[in-house]
Amino acid sequence: MISYSKRRVALGAFFFFVGLCFASWAARIPDIQARFDLSEGQLGTLLLFLPLGSVIGLPIAGWAVHQFGSRKVIMIGAVAYALTLPLIGLAPAIWLLVPVLILYGMLGNTMNISLNTQALNLEDQMGKNILASFHGLWSMAGFTGAGIGALMIYLGLSPAQHYGVVMLISLTIILVAQRFIIKEKAASADGGLVLKKPDALLLRISLIAFLGMMCEGCMFDWSGVYFKKVVNADPSLIALGYVAFMGTMATGRFITDKIAARFTKVAVIQVSGVLIFVGLALAVVFPTVTVATVGFLLVGLGVASIIPLSYSIAGRSKLYAPSVALALVSTISFFGFLLGPPLIGFIADLFNLKTSFAMVAVAALGITLLSSFRKAVFLIPQKVKPSSVS
């Protein structure tokens, strides 16, 4: 019998590998733009194909995990994800790069659904909250991927060579960790292709996750711009807000599980919405380097718990298998990640960037509101902790 600790380490390695691959792709986007001589608008259009693949892949992934089990989908998806990364760097023309990005997006969310399903299964068996720590490893992989990317650029390696190195690292992780990823019990026959009407629980948690992902997407894409144009930071400090946000988001995910066990998941989500609101309000009202950095630190801490706790709650749905519930919540919430950044730009064009961030702050209060009224919808029978640990 494989011990829980070995399974947890192995599953964490898979989360890390997926985050590493994604961060590696993102680190070389400027090189890909230069290679194909793309304008800002053309690059923006190209980048839409990856999230398009993600949206296409979500219902398919939910169905596949429900039908075949998360282990089989993880194994096939992981190898495919690792092998697809170098194809991005090798694509000789845009018309070939587009389908590769769509495929990469599909595989990314296949890994998202299958890994979170496996993590929820392990969480139930261990009888304690562990899901957020896996998301923390994904975030840490982002820093690692950015560091490796900087090194590869310094060494003069092309994106294809860089991605080849990451592919070899990824395949090594898969080879070592795969034997500790367990096969679940056979799924029931009532899977279907996922896109069904959410019940009250999934609808509520999907809206919370939607707002959380909207805030997260805005911080990813606009934090540097905010520091440059609103805070008027020195060029050497423009990335400070992004680093502050990412740092507390990653750190927060490693402490979320313990805090949620102490104060309940819903209570942590309530406080998270308030943290995001306060952080953004500080950055809007007092747009100085010091205050805005503190504000972005609070935003990262608030964003940290939203998605892992939303997934954890969704996975306990009474009506849907975990993979199906995760796909439903992911499908709805992912649109927040897609719509948030363009919405920021639209509002900024009409008014200004401070107004945009103020609107996101108000949206964050929606997270607290949605987790505060009619809380009976969140009451789900808890799984019983096993009497013995394997």
Side-chain angles (χ1 to χ4, degrees):
M1 184 73 72
I2 301 173
S3 68
Y4 290 151
S5 59
K6 289 181 180 179
R7 288 171 56 192
R8 186 173 181 177
V9 170
L11 190 55
F14 271 91
F15 271 89
F16 186 88
F17 129 69
V18 172
L20 180 65
C21 286
F22 185 82
S24 298
W25 134 253
R28 302 308 292 265
I29 288 176
D31 297 276
I32 291 172
Q33 179 183 17
R35 178 182 178 187
F36 294 108
D37 193 24
L38 302 175
S39 68
E40 302 297 328
Q42 290 171 328
L43 177 63
T45 301
L46 178 67
L47 295 180
L48 283 175
F49 287 103
L50 191 143
L52 173 63
S54 299
V55 172
I56 294 171
L58 279 167
I60 298 172
W63 171 81
V65 172
H66 183 73
Q67 292 296 116
F68 305 111
S70 64
R71 186 187 192 282
K72 183 174 291 187
V73 176
I74 287 172
M75 293 302 105
I76 296 173
V79 174
Y81 195 61
L83 294 178
T84 302
L85 180 60
L87 297 181
I88 297 175
L90 292 170
I94 289 292
W95 68 271
L96 287 173
L97 180 58
V98 166
V100 174
L101 288 178
I102 292 174
L103 175 62
Y104 198 62
M106 292 177 64
L107 290 171
N109 261 327
T110 297
M111 294 304 297
N112 174 39
I113 299 299
S114 57
L115 286 175
N116 278 286
T117 300
Q118 180 84 196
L120 285 171
N121 180 273
L122 179 58
E123 186 175 75
D124 285 342
Q125 292 183 26
M126 292 182 68
K128 65 179 182 178
N129 299 326
I130 60 172
L131 185 60
S133 64
F134 291 126
H135 288 249
L137 286 168
W138 190 95
S139 298
M140 280 191 62
F143 283 106
T144 305
I148 292 176
L151 176 63
M152 295 298 169
I153 293 171
Y154 174 77
L155 295 175
L157 274 68
S158 68
Q161 293 170 319
H162 172 187
Y163 294 160
V165 172
V166 175
M167 179 193 71
L168 292 176
I169 295 172
S170 300
L171 291 175
T172 302
I173 292 173
I174 295 168
L175 181 64
V176 172
Q178 57 84 24
R179 67 192 184 98
F180 300 109
I181 305 298
I182 67 164
K183 180 179 180 181
E184 302 138 302
K185 296 179 181 179
S188 59
D190 60 346
L193 189 59
V194 174
L195 293 180
K196 303 175 181 179
K197 181 180 178 181
D199 59 10
L201 170 68
L202 292 185
L203 181 59
R204 181 77 65 84
I205 206 65
S206 293
L207 291 174
I208 290 171
F210 174 90
L211 293 174
M213 287 286 273
M214 185 175 76
C215 295
E216 187 173 334
C218 291
M219 294 302 293
F220 272 122
D221 289 4
W222 287 95
S223 56
V225 179
Y226 193 85
F227 259 61
K228 180 179 180 180
K229 294 188 175 182
V230 178
V231 178
N232 294 316
D234 183 90
S236 63
L237 298 176
I238 286 175
L240 182 60
Y242 178 78
V243 172
F245 164 74
M246 284 294 294
T248 51
M249 185 176 74
T251 303
R253 285 178 170 169
F254 286 108
I255 63 175
T256 289
D257 290 322
K258 290 185 178 180
I259 296 175
R262 174 76 182 273
F263 298 104
T264 77
K265 297 171 185 176
V266 175
V268 174
I269 291 175
Q270 290 173 320
V271 174
S272 295
V274 174
L275 286 173
I276 298 171
F277 171 79
V278 172
L280 288 174
L282 284 173
V284 169
V285 177
F286 305 105
T288 64
V289 171
T290 302
V291 177
T293 300
V294 172
F296 281 25
L297 286 169
L298 292 176
V299 175
L301 201 58
V303 166
S305 65
I306 303 294
I307 293 304
L309 291 185
S310 294
Y311 281 8
S312 185
I313 292 171
R316 273 71 183 177
S317 171
K318 300 175 184 178
L319 300 182
Y320 299 93
S323 60
V324 177
L326 286 174
L328 278 165
V329 172
S330 295
T331 301
I332 295 172
S333 65
F334 197 74
F335 281 104
F337 196 80
L338 289 178
L339 296 176
L343 183 62
I344 284 277
F346 178 70
I347 296 174
D349 282 341
L350 288 177
F351 303 99
N352 54 57
L353 200 53
K354 287 178 67 175
T355 302
S356 297
F357 271 61
M359 295 294 289
V360 177
V362 173
L365 280 184
I367 295 171
T368 300
L369 179 64
L370 286 168
S371 55
S372 298
F373 78 95
R374 293 178 58 191
K375 291 198 291 184
V377 73
F378 296 110
L379 297 178
I380 301 173
Q382 295 295 310
K383 304 292 177 82
V384 178
K385 184 177 180 178
S387 57
S388 61
V389 177
S390 53

